[in-house]
């Protein structure tokens, strides 16, 4: 139903004169409804609330896994209920240092409650809408974005914070366009402090609009990135942090091309192969940026490659690309964002997180078709 409504908004002439204030109001109404609604088919929010408590009270969210606190009478009753809902409590948190500060801020507003985090994400959504409008995106496209089921399910209802990454990547592109290169690399560093794999975009942002590689930007981004990740570095040296490595080495969920590579080899070899493939793509994107300076296109390619090759592709990861898609007029993101929702068929088997192969096949087919369509459209525009 929502997809039919989106198609009507995009194709109908009734929305050609749509005012941006109506889009903002729609986003706020949906956010208000979601703010006091329970997450749907998710338990990740328990980890967000627990991390906020630990960060706010100890300042060391990476020191102990949640099960360390089982039976600890000093934990408030409200947080004990949160603690009991955490999945994989034997693993330390994988969320980046900047996200831990966001969780802590949410805790200070209302301990053990999710609505402050949802309010932060609602504010982020409004900022994204307004910034994209100022960059020339038509309000009807922004309306289609804010009522898309992926955004409603993952951000408004379930409070997955990945829209923050999408907003920071968007801001980095806008800064780069305005020749605010230092601000651009800082924005990417902030995004990387939420999910570290976003750091692969930094080399591309170190090019100026004239194609010159700026070593000053490299130095700035290195200092900022290391500073933001000091909590992780310290805990790693103390030997108490292993959540991210466990996730990287073992976790598999809704893989796309990774599934096919595993079928041909084994899991460990497949991880090495996708790492090498992604590294080669990043080098190619780096070289391409040197020659054409199409930054928004080049980082788009790198991020799409990341999602194609990653062993774990949660539906909300597509929110990293959602704001950026308006700069490249991409059907690929919307094909991925829409078909990724099929990953939730795993709930039909409550004892398994395995997504059936046919779901991955549909996603790969849709993404391939959308990629061909986008390439053809780009060629027509070039001609």
């Amino acid at each position: 139903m929502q997809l039919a409504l989106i198609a009507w908004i995009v194709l109908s002439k009734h929305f050609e004169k749509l005012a941006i204030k109506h889009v903002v109001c729609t986003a706020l109404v949906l956010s208000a409804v979601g703010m006091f609604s329970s997450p749907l088919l998710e338990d990740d929010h328990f980890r967000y609330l627990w991390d906020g408590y630990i960060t706010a009270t100890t300042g060391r969210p990476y020191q102990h896994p949640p099960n360390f606190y089982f039976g600890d009478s000093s934990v408030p009753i409200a947080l004990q209920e949160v603690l009991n809902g955490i999945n994989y409590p034997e693993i330390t948190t994988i969320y980046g240092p900047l996200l831990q500060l966001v969780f802590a801020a949410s805790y200070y507003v209302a301990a053990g409650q999710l609505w402050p985090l949802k309010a932060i994400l609602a504010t982020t959504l409004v900022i994204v809408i307004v910034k994209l409008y100022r960059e020339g995106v038509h309000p009807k496209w922004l309306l289609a974005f804010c009522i898309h089921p992926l955004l409603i399910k993952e951000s408004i209802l379930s409070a997955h914070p990945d829209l923050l990454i999408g907003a920071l990547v968007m801001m980095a592109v806008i800064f780069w366009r305005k020749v605010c290169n230092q601000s651009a690399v800082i924005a990417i560093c902030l995004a990387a402090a939420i999910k570290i794999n976003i750091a692969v975009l930094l080399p591309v942002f170190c090019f100026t609009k004239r194609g010159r590689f700026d070593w000053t930007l490299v130095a700035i981004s290195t200092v900022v990135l290391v500073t933001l990740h000091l909590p992780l570095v310290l805990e790693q040296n103390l030997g108490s942090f292993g959540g991210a490595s466990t996730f990287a080495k073992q976790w598999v969920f809704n893989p796309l091309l990774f599934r096919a590579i595993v079928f041909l080899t084994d899991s460990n070899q497949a991880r090495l192969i996708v790492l090498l493939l992604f590294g080669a793509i990043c080098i190619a994107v780096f070289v391409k940026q040197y020659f054409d300076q199409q930054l928004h296109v080049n980082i788009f390619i790198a991020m799409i490659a990341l999602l194609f090759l990653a062993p774990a592709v949660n539906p909300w990861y597509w929110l990293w690309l959602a704001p950026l898609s308006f700069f490249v007029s991409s059907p690929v993101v919307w094909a991925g964002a829409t078909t990724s929702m099929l990953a939730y068929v795993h709930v039909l088997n409550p004892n398994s997180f395995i997504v059936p192969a046919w779901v991955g096949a549909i996603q790969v087919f849709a993404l391939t078709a959308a990629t061909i369509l986008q390439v053809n459209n780009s060629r027509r525009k070039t001609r």
Side-chain angles (χ1 to χ4, degrees), residues 96-97 165 168 187-200 202 225 228-229:
I165 296 176
L168 287 166
I188 292 297
C189 287
L190 291 172
I194 297 175
K195 292 284 177 72
I196 187 59
N197 45 20
I198 302 300
V200 300
L202 275 171
L225 197 62
L228 289 171
H229 284 85

Side-chain angles (χ1 to χ4, degrees), residues 90-124:
E90 72 280 3
I91 299 176
T92 51
T93 185
I94 63 171
Y95 300 111
L98 180 59
L99 208 47
Q100 297 299 336
L101 295 179
V102 173
F103 295 154
S106 177
Y107 169 83
Y108 280 123
V109 174
Q113 296 187 42
L114 199 56
W115 69 262
L117 178 58
K118 290 186 176 184
I120 293 171
L121 296 177
T123 303
T124 303

Side-chain angles (χ1 to χ4, degrees), residues 3-273:
L3 296 178
L5 179 59
I6 289 172
W8 179 53
I9 291 171
V10 171
L11 299 174
S12 174
K13 294 182 179 179
H14 294 292
F15 295 91
E16 291 299 325
K17 296 183 179 180
L18 182 67
I20 189 62
K21 63 181 179 180
H22 296 140
V23 181
V24 172
C25 286
T26 301
L28 290 174
V29 169
L30 291 172
S31 298
V33 172
M35 200 170 297
F36 300 100
S37 301
S38 299
L40 185 63
L41 303 175
E42 290 292 345
D43 54 14
D44 287 351
H45 58 286
F46 292 115
R47 178 78 72 160
Y48 305 158
L49 296 174
W50 180 256
D51 281 5
Y53 163 68
I54 293 298
T55 303
T57 56
T58 73
R60 295 183 65 181
Y62 306 106
Q63 183 181 16
H64 299 299
N67 66 359
F68 176 83
Y69 297 90
F70 286 172
D72 187 341
S73 59
S74 67
V75 176
I77 294 177
L79 272 301
Q80 287 180 7
E81 295 177 0
V82 168
L83 178 60
N84 292 332
I86 296 175
N87 60 9
Y88 302 103
E90 72 280 3
I91 299 176
T92 51
T93 185
I94 63 171
Y95 300 111
L98 180 59
L99 208 47
Q100 297 299 336
L101 295 179
V102 173
F103 295 154
S106 177
Y107 169 83
Y108 280 123
V109 174
Q113 296 187 42
L114 199 56
W115 69 262
L117 178 58
K118 290 186 176 184
I120 293 171
L121 296 177
T123 303
T124 303
L125 176 58
V126 171
I127 291 172
V128 167
I129 289 171
V130 172
K131 292 299 292 185
L132 288 173
Y133 172 71
R134 290 179 177 175
E135 291 298 310
V137 179
H138 195 285
K140 73 175 183 179
W141 293 103
L142 299 174
L143 180 62
F145 165 58
C146 75
I147 67 169
H148 193 281
L150 180 77
L151 181 73
I152 292 175
K153 160 67 179 69
E154 306 301 355
S155 188
I156 293 175
L157 286 178
S158 299
H160 286 298
D162 295 72
L163 183 62
L164 294 171
I165 296 176
L168 287 166
V169 172
M170 176 198 72
M171 290 305 303
V173 172
I174 293 173
F175 284 136
W176 189 85
R177 282 179 161 187
K178 296 179 178 179
V179 200
C180 299
N181 300 82
Q182 295 184 8
S183 298
V185 295
I186 291 173
I188 292 297
C189 287
L190 291 172
I194 297 175
K195 292 284 177 72
I196 187 59
N197 45 20
I198 302 300
V200 300
L201 301 179
L202 275 171
V204 180
F205 276 91
C206 290
F207 282 102
T208 66
K209 292 190 74 172
R210 295 182 179 181
R212 183 176 65 86
F213 192 73
D214 192 335
W215 289 100
T216 302
L217 295 176
V218 175
I220 292 171
S221 59
T222 301
V223 171
V224 174
L225 197 62
V226 171
T227 302
L228 289 171
H229 284 85
L230 277 178
L232 280 171
V233 174
L234 293 175
E235 292 295 352
Q236 186 68 51
N237 289 335
L238 292 172
S240 58
F241 175 61
S245 61
T246 300
F247 180 86
K249 294 176 182 178
Q250 300 179 14
W251 188 248
V252 177
F253 180 78
N254 188 37
L256 300 180
L257 294 184
F258 181 80
R259 190 194 300 265
I261 298 173
V262 169
F263 180 77
L264 297 173
T265 58
D266 61 50
S267 181
N268 290 332
Q269 289 182 339
R271 289 176 189 274
L272 177 60
I273 290 170

